Amino acid sequence: MAPDAAVEAALVERMHALEGQIDCIRTWRVAANEVDRPICWDYVLESGFDDVDGLNAYLFHPVHQALIADLKTRFEWAAVDYTVPLQA
């Protein structure tokens, strides 16, 4: 595996592992892009929390902060915070 590919694989593994390291995470999904188009991101991470307090606990958790610092050196990224309405 090339050095860059090895670093990327290690970062992705850390993304997968975060779910088991931060208690407030309720749902967690990491997936790689499957279609090579210029508009697509390389990865998506979708997570769920009980409430905004849970989200904030995650965002400021030291393990998350350390991963973010490393991810920012390799990837462009965007975040979207939204609420999924409960279905009746």
Side-chain angles (χ1 to χ4, degrees):
M1 187 178 295
D4 284 350
V7 170
E8 182 173 329
L11 288 170
V12 171
E13 180 56 37
R14 286 174 60 195
M15 288 170 59
H16 282 284
L18 217 56
E19 178 181 23
Q21 298 175 333
I22 302 177
D23 292 339
C24 59
I25 296 171
R26 298 296 174 251
T27 61
W28 192 258
R29 182 170 36 192
V30 177
N33 180 47
E34 296 176 357
V35 179
D36 188 19
R37 296 186 307 135
I39 195 171
C40 294
W41 298 94
D42 294 326
Y43 297 93
V44 62
L45 185 154
E46 192 173 10
S47 55
F49 305 90
D50 289 335
D51 51 30
V52 173
D53 290 337
L55 171 62
N56 285 328
Y58 159 74
L59 290 174
F60 296 103
H61 192 284
V63 175
H64 175 254
Q65 290 291 311
L67 176 58
I68 293 304
D70 292 340
L71 287 172
K72 284 184 174 182
T73 66
R74 300 249 339 143
F75 298 104
E76 292 183 40
W77 60 321
V80 177
D81 298 321
Y82 61 94
T83 301
V84 175
L86 298 175
Q87 295 182 352

